[in-house]
Amino acid sequence: MGLGAVIFDLDGVLTDTAEFHYQSWKTIADELRVPFDRAANEPLRGLSREESLARLLGPRADQFSSEQRVEIARRKNDEYLRRVEKMTPVDLAVGAAELLSELKRAGVPLAVASSSRNAHAVIDRLGIAALLDAIVDGNDAPRSKPDPQVFLQAAERLGVPPGECVVVEDASSGVAAAKAAGMRSVGIGPRGQVGEADHVFDALQELSLQMLLGAPARSQTRV
Ligand code: BG6
Ligand code: MG
């Protein structure tokens, strides 16, 4: 695979903040007496806060004024930030530090492209900012995945053509965004989530520079 740059999603790839997003939405859903569980949370991966709330409320969305929805989204974010504040470099996904360092040593430009408006706070807590050549978040790219905006901005900042970028994602919406950006994709997680990616792995620790350089297109490690 031609490897001009690697663009990592953040939540659910470099760290398990996807679990924090779930727990925070679950608290809010319970308060509102809206049914919500892990299965309902899966399709929310990669979607913006506002889009996630709209999906969570479903047909009940009409029962809330736009001011109420803003307030609910604010409360969810407070819940989320309480969890982020406790993060340390120990919360990096297994193998993430090694992979980022290996790619950095090989001179591969690295970016994080996240729909989250909290991405900088999470990256600071994880202590990986110095390894990254670009960080594009939900403030920079307001159109959240599956729109390709966040990945295209990352490629532009790195100065690498989209066709030479490889995206690492845990979300169906993220894989779709990578495709729409004209980028190759590596999916981390169940095939139900990331089966559309060009390569699929159970966990980030299975990825290496060698795999990213040498894997034939559309190889899959699992049946
Ligand atoms: C994405 C997460 O990275 O960021 C989504 O996968 C989340 O679950 C989205 O909704 C927006 O995050 P935030 O931190 O701006 O609410
Ligand atoms: Mg993600």
Side-chain angles (χ1 to χ4, degrees):
M1 155 187 317
L3 191 61
V6 181
I7 304 178
F8 290 90
D9 173 52
L10 178 64
D11 298 322
V13 169
L14 292 178
T15 182
D16 197 14
T17 34
E19 175 64 18
F20 294 168
H21 281 293
Y22 164 69
Q23 291 171 4
S24 308
W25 281 126
K26 179 65 178 156
T27 301
I28 298 296
D30 287 351
E31 277 174 27
L32 297 173
R33 297 177 198 282
V34 172
F36 186 66
D37 57 16
R38 287 178 190 281
N41 182 63
E42 287 308 313
L44 305 189
R45 285 176 190 255
L47 304 184
S48 69
R49 201 179 306 162
E50 291 70 23
E51 180 66 23
S52 300
L53 177 59
R55 301 269 184 113
L56 183 144
L57 294 175
R60 295 173 190 82
D62 293 346
Q63 297 167 16
F64 299 89
S65 66
S66 57
E67 290 77 13
Q68 284 173 318
R69 288 202 295 268
V70 167
E71 174 59 15
I72 295 168
R74 192 193 60 72
R75 283 200 343 257
K76 183 270 176 176
N77 200 48
D78 287 348
E79 286 287 330
Y80 180 67
L81 287 177
R82 271 197 313 111
R83 291 166 169 89
V84 167
E85 277 163 19
K86 295 188 190 127
M87 290 178 77
T88 71
V90 169
D91 292 298
L92 262 176
V94 176
E98 294 79 0
L99 179 62
L100 289 170
S101 303
E102 186 186 19
L103 292 167
K104 188 84 190 160
R105 276 198 306 274
V108 179
L110 302 176
V112 160
S114 170
S115 298
S116 173
R117 301 203 289 277
N118 297 303
H120 282 274
V122 171
I123 286 166
D124 287 348
R125 291 252 151 218
L126 293 172
I128 55 171
L131 292 169
L132 301 169
D133 301 293
I135 299 168
V136 185
D137 70 3
N139 296 300
D140 305 312
R143 296 200 300 273
S144 87
K145 301 167 189 176
D147 191 286
Q149 187 182 42
V150 72
F151 290 136
L152 291 173
Q153 272 196 33
E156 197 179 318
R157 286 212 206 156
L158 294 174
V160 176
E164 293 174 25
C165 295
V166 176
V167 165
V168 185
E169 258 295 345
D170 71 315
S172 161
S173 62
V175 171
K179 278 188 194 296
M183 299 178 182
R184 226 96 50 96
S185 54
V186 173
I188 305 293
R191 300 224 5 217
Q193 231 164 266
V194 291
E196 295 296 312
D198 296 306
H199 312 270
V200 177
F201 294 95
D202 285 319
L204 189 74
Q205 68 188 120
E206 295 168 31
L207 268 189
S208 64
L209 171 66
Q210 195 183 359
M211 175 271 145
L212 288 165
L213 283 172
R218 300 209 65 85
S219 72
Q220 305 234 323
T221 53
R222 295 177 296 126
V223 284

